[in-house]
Amino acid sequence: MQQTFQINPANINAQVIENILATAKAKFGSRTFRLIIDDEPIAAPVDQKELYKKTLQLRELFKDVRVPANLNLTDLANEMLGE
C-alpha cells in the first residue's frame, strides 16, 4: 500500500505533519510504515522549436483524417473507456 503527499516546503507546519501522520495511521493501522522525504526532480524546460516541429509532424501524419462535424468526441471517449 502506498500514500503520496506532494507538498511545497513553504506550506509545511505542525498541522500538516499531524494530518499526514493521522492519514498514515488510518491507512496503515498498527503496521510499520516508511516515511520517505524526497525532492521533486526539476523538469527540463520545453524547447518550443522542437515542440513546434513535432506538432508539424503530427499534423502531416493525420492530414488526410476527416472528422465528421456531428461526431461527439465525449461520447466516443466514454464508449472507448467503457463508461
Side-chain angles (χ1 to χ4, degrees):
M1 223 184 299
Q2 181 176 332
Q3 178 71 47
T4 302
F5 297 93
Q6 184 172 336
I7 303 170
N8 183 320
N11 298 329
I12 296 176
N13 58 37
Q15 184 64 42
V16 170
I17 300 299
E18 288 175 15
N19 288 341
I20 291 172
L21 292 176
T23 300
K25 287 178 185 177
K27 185 165 189 157
F28 299 104
S30 62
R31 293 179 307 208
T32 301
F33 63 89
R34 278 184 294 180
L35 180 62
I36 299 172
I37 299 174
D38 195 3
D39 63 336
E40 189 70 21
I42 298 172
V46 176
D47 182 347
Q48 294 295 314
K49 285 184 180 179
E50 285 303 313
L51 185 60
Y52 177 70
K53 288 177 186 177
K54 288 179 182 180
T55 302
L56 290 179
Q57 290 172 350
L58 279 173
R59 289 180 70 174
E60 181 65 24
L61 183 64
F62 292 102
K63 69 181 179 186
D64 297 324
V65 174
R66 298 291 174 238
V67 178
N70 63 346
L71 178 64
N72 184 324
L73 294 176
T74 300
D75 288 344
L76 179 61
N78 289 338
E79 180 182 320
M80 292 179 72
L81 295 173
E83 295 180 7

